[in-house]
Amino acid sequence: MIVAILQARTGSTRLPGKVLLPILGEPMIARQIERLRRSRRIDRLLVATSNSAEDDPLAGLCARIGIPCYRGDLEDVLDRFYRAAIANGARHIVRLTGDCPLADPVEIDRLVEFYLEGGFDYASNCLEPSLPDGLDAEIFSFSTLARTWSEAHLASEREHVTLYITKHPEQFHIGSLRTELDRSHMRWTVDEPEDLEFVRRVFEALYPQNPAFGSKEVLQLLAAKPELTRINAKYRRNEGLERSLRKERSDEIKFTPSAACPREPR
């Protein structure tokens, strides 16, 4: 069972409530889910959000569009993933984030195939980025997640689900998938108001004629209208992770995983 867990919450310091902000009349995360449902290799898709009251509207949206929603710890996102995986019988987990409305199911399926064929514990298309920021995906086995859940204790490792894995390549068989052309300088994710403006412009240009448009069509649009790439060009990749690591170095906060350990799925 390959389960894709879409990590999302409404709290955001740079763009509050961003996952629920509209793109062509539908919440951003609903547009992303619409795209993810076209994956051929994902057996089950669900949203993992927090049990905070501020995320009640997100859970309500999931119910409206018929997508399962698992709710867990607000800060310990690793624990949230672990328990969501158990609750859904996952043998392999695809990790996605809810700020990527241009997510491409073709690239996700490509990563899944790469991971399975290579027999990896963990594989990613963003360890050595070559795709636009916003097409990131990771996949790992349940046993890898369980080990990470048990051994990761730093605050950054609990907030960023796969950080412990990538920090310990000697413990895991890790695969890094790259494309021939490097487009990692392109920014298709949504963290800032300018990012949302960029994505809205892309949807407005492509969705009415082809709701199933992919990365190829986006690249063709940007080649024809290069001014669109300048809307959010000033922002850099992985600012959230950098912020977490800086905070950790300053206060050395640690988490301890809960002792109540659900059984591994069979």
Side-chain angles (χ1 to χ4, degrees), residues 82-132:
Y82 177 66
R83 296 177 188 277
I86 290 175
N88 287 273
R91 299 304 299 174
H92 307 282
I93 300 98
V94 176
R95 177 178 176 262
L96 304 165
T97 56
D99 52 6
C100 300
L102 292 173
D104 191 334
V106 172
E107 293 297 340
I108 294 169
D109 290 346
R110 183 167 169 258
L111 176 64
V112 172
E113 290 163 4
F114 170 77
Y115 161 84
L116 293 173
E117 290 171 3
F120 297 109
D121 298 319
Y122 164 95
S124 169
N125 63 14
C126 52
L127 275 178
E128 304 170 275
S130 59
L131 292 172

Side-chain angles (χ1 to χ4, degrees), residues 15-86:
L15 189 58
K18 63 183 179 181
V19 298
L20 298 178
L21 295 177
I23 297 176
L24 293 181
E26 282 291 331
M28 183 176 83
I29 196 169
R31 292 296 184 198
Q32 182 173 353
I33 289 169
E34 179 184 354
R35 297 174 67 78
L36 296 176
R37 281 172 161 163
R38 299 190 185 103
S39 167
R40 297 178 296 104
R41 300 308 305 264
I42 292 173
D43 298 312
R44 181 175 299 171
L45 171 65
L46 65 111
V47 169
T49 191
S50 84
N51 49 24
S52 170
E54 70 178 0
D55 287 320
D56 289 350
L58 177 54
L61 170 66
C62 290
R64 177 173 72 81
I65 64 177
I67 198 81
C69 181
Y70 181 88
R71 305 187 70 174
D73 193 278
L74 176 65
E75 301 294 341
D76 191 347
V77 186
L78 175 56
D79 183 73
R80 195 193 312 167
F81 259 73
Y82 177 66
R83 296 177 188 277
I86 290 175

Side-chain angles (χ1 to χ4, degrees), residues 3 9 11 29 33 69 94-95 117 136 156 203-204 207 219:
V3 176
R9 51 170 296 198
I29 196 169
I33 289 169
C69 181
V94 176
R95 177 178 176 262
E117 290 171 3
D136 299 357
S156 59
F203 269 84
E204 288 164 4
Y207 188 92
L219 291 169

Side-chain angles (χ1 to χ4, degrees), residues 14-15 190-200 231-232 235:
R14 288 174 285 180
L15 189 58
V190 176
D191 279 323
E192 307 284 352
E194 293 91 338
D195 296 330
L196 182 61
E197 174 63 19
F198 168 79
V199 168
R200 282 172 169 167
I231 294 174
N232 60 348
Y235 298 109

Side-chain angles (χ1 to χ4, degrees), residues 242-253:
E242 292 174 7
R243 198 165 55 249
S244 293
L245 294 175
R246 284 196 301 270
K247 183 178 188 301
E248 182 177 280
R249 286 192 292 267
S250 68
D251 57 21
E252 299 182 351
I253 294 174

